[in-house]
Amino acid sequence: MKTLEEYMALPYRLEIIPDPDEGGFVGTYPDLPGCLTSGDTMEAVAHNAEDAKRAWLTAALQDGLAIREPESPCAYSGQFKLRIPKSLHRSLAEHSRSEGISMNQYCLYLLAKNDAQYGA
């Protein structure tokens, strides 16, 4: 198991979004569930986020909880192979041709639309 300082040095991704209800901004670490903070400015959130991350990691270590390490964006190539029935292949090819785009672009559109609908 890593020490607190080793976990603090890992490149956890901080997401900062506006808070329309309270004003200011909210910051969360997606790899650290429940670790969040807020501030009046993005700079304040970034500063507060380090304290929140330290407190979250400290509590997790004390309680013996598993701590997820940040995922590297290099872990994904952006490519995967998919075997599909011939009838689906034909349907996708026909629809993409009618839209005037490549089948790859059409499938990407369908995947992104479905992913957005069901919340990635």
Side-chain angles (χ1 to χ4, degrees):
M1 182 173 269
K2 290 181 172 29
T3 66
L4 174 61
E5 293 311 317
E6 288 171 324
Y7 279 115
M8 287 297 294
L10 294 175
Y12 285 101
R13 180 171 50 96
L14 172 62
E15 292 182 355
I16 300 175
I17 59 170
D19 184 350
D21 297 328
E22 300 292 325
F25 298 87
V26 173
T28 63
Y29 287 98
D31 292 321
L32 306 175
C35 182
L36 61 103
T37 190
S38 63
D40 293 333
T41 65
M42 290 180 65
E43 293 79 14
V45 172
H47 180 270
N48 295 343
E50 282 300 302
D51 293 336
K53 180 171 64 168
R54 181 174 295 280
W56 191 98
L57 290 168
T58 299
L61 287 168
Q62 288 173 350
D63 293 345
L65 300 176
I67 299 173
R68 184 175 165 184
E69 293 192 18
E71 235 176 66
S72 167
C74 299
Y76 302 100
S77 68
Q79 299 179 14
F80 69 96
K81 269 189 176 177
L82 180 64
R83 298 211 181 273
I84 59 174
K86 291 179 182 180
S87 59
L88 179 57
H89 189 174
R90 181 183 68 243
S91 178
L92 291 169
E94 289 172 356
H95 286 113
S96 64
R97 191 173 19 258
S98 72
E99 292 293 327
I101 58 177
S102 73
M103 194 168 76
N104 189 60
Q105 288 175 314
Y106 184 67
C107 290
L108 178 61
Y109 159 75
L110 292 174
L111 287 168
K113 179 180 170 186
N114 190 60
D115 190 56
Q117 179 179 355
Y118 290 102

